[in-house]
Amino acid sequence: MTDNNGNPDSLIVKPKKSGLAPLILTLVELLRQLMEAQVIRRMDAEKLTESEIERAADSLQALEQQILNLCDVLDIDPADLNLDLGEFGKLLPKSGSYYPDKSSSESSILELLDRLISTGIVLEGDVQIGLANINLIDLKLKLLLTSGDRTS
């Protein structure tokens, strides 16, 4: 069999809707929106130069376009990147509904993470990773979560 251009079907990648690709794209989109919120915060606080704002905007737009291109190639609806986490709400806000430090009608995990990053938080925990009820890896974690302008 061949595709519309006469190329063999075996060269066309059509992943399933569930799998690793949507999860990775979801995480990349979450990080993109978190970075966008941090850029907006710094713009509002006048901590960025015009050049930095322009570079950040260009980079965020390019990353968003890459995500959309990958969704197209992998046959993933971009709306599927927003996970519904039940009683915790949605992972991402509706497009255009969230602006840092402004209240929104529906909270999202992105909004919570953005606020935690902007104020700073230390997380400690133990993680055990295992297989077939056999503990294989023990992790003891201490994580400082804060925006880049607070670490200096």
Side-chain angles (χ1 to χ4, degrees), residues 46-115:
E46 297 180 355
K47 292 183 177 180
L48 296 176
T49 66
E50 289 296 322
S51 173
E52 288 172 327
I53 293 169
E54 189 173 315
R55 285 194 335 259
D58 290 345
S59 295
L60 288 167
Q61 286 174 340
L63 182 55
E64 181 178 26
Q65 189 57 52
Q66 284 298 325
I67 292 168
L68 293 173
N69 289 343
L70 285 169
C71 283
D72 188 43
V73 167
L74 298 172
D75 194 28
I76 298 169
D77 182 353
D80 291 342
L81 301 182
N82 192 4
L83 304 176
D84 185 349
L85 302 172
E87 64 186 53
F88 297 108
K90 293 275 192 172
L91 181 68
L92 305 170
K94 290 180 184 174
S95 182
S97 70
Y98 176 65
Y99 192 88
D101 293 330
K102 304 287 185 213
S103 60
S104 60
S105 59
E106 293 181 23
S107 61
S108 66
I109 299 300
L110 174 112
E111 184 176 348
L112 172 66
L113 288 172
D114 177 49
R115 289 182 183 189

Side-chain angles (χ1 to χ4, degrees), residues 1 7-13:
M1 295 182 70
N7 299 319
D9 264 353
S10 61
L11 299 177
I12 300 173
V13 178

